[in-house]
Amino acid sequence: MHRRSFARIHRTNLTKQGVLPLTFANDADYSLISAGDVVSTSGLDALLRGNLDADVDVVVRKADGSEVTIKTTHGLSADQVEWIREGSALNLIKRKAAEEKAAAGQQ
């Protein structure tokens, strides 16, 4: 999802649902995306491994095959990255509960 800005509560709600809220570092870069472009990310793997300082860029592939790389910011906390990595906060809670239940059964 790309937006010009997010209210703090909206950003938190997105991350709890497993959505990565990125904003472009340069507002003028919004004009670089057109209908029909294919958008992907670069650097997301480092962020999901826990590097909160990782640069996550948006890579835009144009219809003619050319690519444009757009710098973004994320401002995510370690907890928010974990929610995104798990697919949502609820998935994380479910996994941890199952692990605790399994651990209790082994005692």
Side-chain angles (χ1 to χ4, degrees), residues 22-106:
L22 296 174
T23 54
F24 293 159
N26 180 355
D27 281 346
D29 288 343
Y30 284 88
S31 65
L32 298 176
I33 298 179
S34 304
D37 290 347
V38 177
V39 179
S40 61
T41 60
S42 173
L44 182 58
D45 54 336
L47 176 65
L48 294 178
R49 284 193 310 270
N51 179 359
L52 297 180
D53 295 324
D55 290 329
V56 179
D57 297 331
V58 170
V59 179
V60 181
R61 181 179 296 269
K62 301 293 192 177
D64 66 3
S66 64
E67 289 187 350
V68 177
T69 300
I70 301 172
K71 297 290 181 191
T72 69
T73 60
H74 59 78
L76 297 173
S77 69
D79 288 340
Q80 291 170 324
V81 169
E82 190 172 17
W83 298 337
I84 292 169
R85 187 175 44 242
E86 291 291 329
S88 72
L90 187 58
N91 287 347
L92 177 63
I93 292 166
K94 181 180 174 183
R95 180 181 60 79
K96 286 185 175 183
E99 288 172 356
E100 290 174 9
K101 183 177 179 181
Q106 293 178 1

